[in-house]
Structures are given as structure tokens and as C-alpha cells.
Amino acid sequence: MSSPEQRGDAIIFESVRLCRGGSCTLDNVSARVPRGSNTVLVGPNGAGKTSLLLCLLGELRHEGRIRLVPLTDGSSPRLALVPQQLALDPHTPLLVQEFLCLGTDRWPLWLGCRKNILSKASQALAQVGAAHLLKAHMGQLSGGELRRVLLAAALLRKPDILVLDEAEAGVDVRGEQLFWQTLDEARRTLGFTQLMVSHNLSLAAHYASHVICLNKRVQAEGPPRLCLGATQLLRLFGLPIHLYPEQCEQDVPECPECGAFSHTEELVHTGEESQTKEARNA
């Protein structure tokens, strides 16, 4: 059997355990993040998703082991984080270009941004479709614009692994989808591995290449269609959720739309015809 490194994994979680005050947030979590993938952590609130990211980033002490697999040249991968939010006074006189320079240059900001750093900042903004924001004020950005700027700041670090903790939260439906699309294009172009926490199951089903279903323990892991099926999501969240249309043809416990409560008499209207679900499935 090939080793995880030979399979091309970027991150390997081995029996990770995080307990406080007699309660375990993470209990024997073992999972992998394939190299170059968009791996999405899904699960209910309090499932330990953010805690697992904090363990990865070295912010929380834990039992078990988290391995960052060396790159092909033997070097250690670089990590960058896109946070969920940024507390910023809306009246702060800070331009986007200055914010990006702060994270990449030790040159005093009051001396201005150096040309080479400013050029890199402009390129990073262009990569996330936000080149027009270079001279905008940070405090005046919309939620979606701020997410793109934070993503650009992370990309300036040239990460091998990009970590996101619900970085798309707080924006409208269109803005959230644009953010996922931008991330997907950047990952494919730049070749980094992406590990993100998200509650948007429909976008995870569309954009993820690998899914880890977590509720203190790993409930399922693998391709979205295998891990985000109706049965798995019912087990994970405790209520029926359908991401794939054909799943309503299946009998899922506790789901009336799948016919779990009436297999013989429930009528299904299709145009002008009515037929029983049993007949339709025959």
C-alpha cells in the first residue's frame, strides 16, 4: 500500500484530540487533505471545525499529530490564513494598497509603499478580480470587497496551503458564489492546496474536490457526491438535506419528500397526471 505522501497528500491529521474541562471538542480525528485540492470542512455548529484549523495553525495544543507533508523539493509548505472577519474602524484612513503593503513589507508605512511591493499588491488584487480597489479606503469596503482584499493579502504570501475559516460569511448569495468562484480560479492558476470551513453545502457540493464531514469525529470523508448525500447529511445535521436532485428518488428515514412516511398512497403531480410514488419508482 502506498504511503500518504505517495498519494499526494498535503496535510495529514492523525488521531487529533482536543479536550477541555472534561469535554472533547475533537475526538480522535484522522483525515487527509489531498495536495492541490479544495477540501471543505462541513458540520454543525460546535462540531470542532474551527478548532481543527486552529490546531493546524499551532494556536491550540492538542493530542495526536498533524503533518504538513514536505513539497516535492523537500521544503516545508507555507501556510496563509484568510480570517472570517477583520475588526476595523470605518473611519481609519487606511487605503487598500497600504493595508496590503503592511503585511508584506517592513518598510515604514509613513514612507509610502515601495514600487515593487505595490506592484505585487496590484497583481494580487487582479488575481481576485479586485484591481479597482487598490486605492479604496479599507473602512468603506463592502463585505464582499473586504473578503477579496483579505484573500489578496493571503495570496501575497505565496502560500502552498491556504486556510479559510468561513471567509465567505456575511455576504449576500451572489457575493458568496463569486467568492467561491474567485477562490477556485486562483487555486487552479496558482496551484495551492485549499482547506476551508463553510456552512454553504450547495457551494461545497459544486466547488469542493474533497470533503471532510466533522462532528467532533470524522463522520465521512471523500468526494462531495459520496459525503454530501442525503443519508450522510441527515446523520451529520439531524435533518433532511438534498443537494442532488436524484436523491428524492431514494427512501431516506424521516424525510417525507423521499416517501419515507408514505410509500403507497402519496400522490405526486406531474403536469396534468397524478401517480403514486411507488408506481413512479417501479
Side-chain angles (χ1 to χ4, degrees):
M1 180 179 295
S2 61
S3 68
E5 289 86 346
Q6 290 173 328
R7 291 199 303 268
D9 293 336
I11 307 171
I12 303 171
F13 299 97
E14 298 177 339
S15 302
V16 177
R17 184 178 172 89
L18 177 65
C19 299
R20 295 175 177 175
S23 176
C24 289
T25 304
L26 299 171
D27 187 9
N28 196 35
V29 171
S30 294
R32 67 185 187 91
V33 177
R35 192 184 305 279
S37 70
N38 174 12
T39 295
V40 181
L41 280 165
V42 302
N45 288 334
K49 302 183 298 297
T50 296
S51 296
L52 187 62
L53 293 189
L54 292 175
C55 290
L56 169 65
L57 296 170
E59 299 294 329
L60 291 176
R61 298 184 62 182
H62 60 276
E63 299 177 27
R65 185 182 180 192
I66 300 177
R67 289 198 288 153
L68 298 180
V69 180
L71 303 177
T72 53
D73 62 2
S75 62
S76 298
R78 294 185 299 273
L79 273 71
L81 172 68
V82 180
Q84 184 176 6
Q85 58 185 356
L86 178 68
L88 187 68
D89 188 329
H91 302 293
T92 300
L94 183 67
L95 300 179
V96 168
Q97 64 181 22
E98 296 170 335
F99 172 77
L100 295 176
C101 289
L102 279 173
T104 55
D105 196 4
R106 296 182 180 181
W107 186 263
L109 188 59
W110 55 270
L111 291 178
C113 295
R114 291 193 287 186
K115 288 185 178 181
N116 64 322
I117 301 298
L118 188 57
S119 176
K120 292 179 181 179
S122 299
Q123 292 174 8
L125 284 173
Q127 288 171 340
V128 300
H132 61 288
L133 296 177
L134 185 65
K135 295 186 178 181
H137 287 270
M138 287 291 296
Q140 297 176 359
L141 299 177
S142 68
E145 290 172 339
L146 179 59
R147 296 313 190 277
R148 288 175 179 252
V149 170
L150 293 177
L151 176 57
L155 294 182
L156 274 171
R157 300 188 61 184
K158 298 186 181 300
D160 301 298
I161 300 173
L162 185 66
V163 179
L164 305 98
D165 185 12
E166 293 188 66
E168 83 281 25
V171 298
D172 61 21
V173 174
R174 176 175 172 79
E176 191 172 4
Q177 183 164 357
L178 286 174
F179 185 79
W180 279 74
Q181 182 178 344
T182 299
L183 268 174
D184 194 60
E185 291 172 353
R187 178 180 63 86
R188 293 176 184 276
T189 299
L190 301 176
F192 56 78
T193 300
Q194 181 176 312
L195 175 61
M196 67 184 298
V197 169
S198 180
H199 286 288
N200 194 317
L201 297 177
S202 61
L203 289 177
H206 184 75
Y207 286 103
S209 57
H210 190 78
V211 173
I212 300 172
C213 296
L214 184 68
N215 192 358
K216 298 186 178 180
R217 293 187 176 189
V218 174
Q219 305 294 325
E221 179 187 2
R225 184 168 283 272
L226 295 181
C227 294
L228 299 180
T231 302
Q232 290 83 354
L233 292 178
L234 179 62
R235 186 182 303 118
L236 185 63
F237 291 97
L239 73 165
I241 302 172
H242 301 90
L243 298 178
Y244 303 101
E246 70 274 11
Q247 290 176 344
C248 282
E249 302 294 331
Q250 304 172 15
D251 289 345
V252 177
E254 302 180 17
C255 180
E257 293 188 14
C258 287
F261 296 142
S262 179
H263 296 278
T264 58
E265 297 299 328
E266 181 184 2
L267 294 181
V268 179
H269 299 278
T270 305
E272 297 180 355
E273 296 182 333
S274 296
Q275 57 183 1
T276 63
K277 180 166 287 188
E278 184 180 68
R280 184 183 62 178
N281 291 335

